[in-house]
Structures are given as C-alpha cells and as structure tokens.
Amino acid sequence: MTTDRTTRLPAVAAGANGFRALISEAWEATAVVADDVEPSTREAAFTLVLEAMLRKHAPPSTVAPAVPNDDQPSDDIIDVLYATPGQRSEAIASYLEIAGTDAEALYDVAGPAPQLRRVPHLECGTEQQAHRSIALLVCAGRTAIALDTGTEHIREAVVRLTGANLDPVPVLDGAKEFSLRGRPDSPNRLVRLTGWGLGAARDAAQGFVWL
C-alpha cells in the first residue's frame, strides 16, 4: 500500500500542473481581445478555447501512469480517435455549429485528417481574405477532431486551393483570430484559434454552406 500511494501522488500532482498550464495557455490565447471586449465576452471566449484544447490528448508528462492492482485489471490505453468519416463529420459539424451534411460539403473526411474542399466563394475578396478563410477553416477542422495545426498545414491548403505558394505567417502573425507558437524561424509553427478566431471560423463556415 505504501508503494502504491507514493507512486500515485507525483502523478496526480503532474496532472494538476498540466491542467493549470492548459488553463493559463487558453487565457493567454484570449489576451488579444481583452482590450476590445467586455470581461464577460472574454470569459466566454476563454471557455470555448479551453474546451477545444481539452479535446486533445493530455501530453505524456501529465498522464498518470497506470498502476495495476488486484482489484482493477490493467487496461490498454483507450483509443479516443475519430476513427470513421461519420465521427469526423459529426465532430466538425458540432464545432462549427453546422449540419453534418454541410461539414461534408466543406471537408473531405475520408482520411484521418480532414481536407478543406474548394467550395464556391472561397476565393472571393482579396487574396489575403481568401488565405485568412482557408487558415480559419483548416484550423477549425483539425481542432474539431483533436489534431494540432501547423503553419505547413495551412500553406499546403492554400497551395492546393489557390495555387499560391506563400508563407502563411504574415496573415496569421498579429491577427486576433490566431495564436502562434514556436520560434519565428521555425518552418512549421503551431497555430491555434483564439476565441475570436473560433467565432470567425464559424461565421466563415456558415457563410460558405448557407449561401
């Protein structure tokens, strides 16, 4: 009993620390809108960002190791992947607040990572506006099924849909819809939607499928 208790306590502490870090990161992601909105609006955005982040697997350092005992069988790691196209389209539809058929009209969900489709009006407006819409929807589609998004995912989508092979960072950096992580010289930086960005992604998705 002593060994079991001393093994579990550090793991529980690590999990608590990891959760606090997630809360801190989600709150930081809403800092870009803090001066422009009411505190209640920022809190609502923080809740949306935190919910999206909690969809992801906890990093290995925050997962308490399984300690088998005589009372509880040792289980394999639970598989939480969105393993079927139906599961992926449902998750995206829920995240973007659109119908499942609309999610499938926006994304090819046949593979494990959703691919944004070329939809009508996607390239309307300026080149920068088109790239922004693509970035919003790529991030949203991947976040909905607990996948991280890198700047390279966005660049590849822009190339595929518009033919423009451009660095997406100038569109993302400093924009209130996105939170960039990683070194400025990194070839594939982490991109996350802020609470403001989630609202913009939902508006974009609904605009494309309801036109």
Side-chain angles (χ1 to χ4, degrees):
M1 293 297 293
T2 302
T3 301
D4 180 71
R5 178 180 176 81
T6 55
T7 301
R8 288 173 180 270
L9 285 176
V12 171
N17 289 336
F19 185 65
R20 282 193 290 269
L22 273 182
I23 291 174
S24 176
E25 186 172 353
W27 185 250
E28 181 185 348
T30 64
V32 293
V33 299
D35 296 333
D36 302 323
V37 299
E38 295 294 327
S40 59
T41 303
R42 183 184 181 184
E43 290 173 5
F46 159 75
T47 301
L48 291 172
V49 174
L50 183 60
E51 287 175 352
M53 293 172 67
L54 288 175
R55 289 171 179 262
K56 304 179 183 299
H57 293 292
S61 60
T62 66
V63 177
V67 181
N69 56 50
D70 294 337
D71 299 324
Q72 183 177 355
S74 177
D75 296 326
D76 293 332
I77 296 175
I78 297 174
D79 185 354
V80 298
L81 292 177
Y82 294 86
T84 68
Q87 290 173 346
R88 291 189 283 273
S89 63
E90 287 175 8
I92 292 171
S94 175
Y95 190 66
L96 290 175
E97 297 182 345
I98 57 179
T101 53
D102 290 335
E104 292 174 2
L106 273 178
Y107 297 92
D108 179 355
V109 293
Q115 297 291 313
L116 183 62
R117 298 183 190 274
R118 182 180 286 106
V119 294
H121 309 290
L122 180 62
E123 297 181 53
C124 290
T126 66
E127 183 179 78
Q128 185 171 8
Q129 288 171 332
H131 294 176
R132 172 184 173 274
S133 294
I134 291 171
L136 287 169
L137 295 177
V138 168
C139 283
R142 293 179 63 85
T143 300
I145 63 168
L147 294 177
D148 281 333
T149 304
T151 50
E152 187 65 10
H153 293 116
I154 295 171
R155 187 194 66 78
E156 289 175 352
V158 170
V159 170
R160 178 168 51 83
L161 297 172
T162 72
N165 189 0
L166 300 175
D167 181 3
V169 170
V171 174
L172 307 174
D173 198 16
K176 60 189 176 184
E177 295 91 350
F178 303 98
S179 176
L180 272 178
R181 295 290 185 270
R183 299 185 307 275
D185 61 344
S186 174
N188 195 23
R189 298 172 65 183
L190 176 67
V191 186
R192 285 191 174 136
L193 292 176
T194 63
W196 197 295
L198 175 56
R202 285 174 173 170
D203 288 344
Q206 292 163 10
F208 289 131
V209 298
W210 293 346
L211 282 174

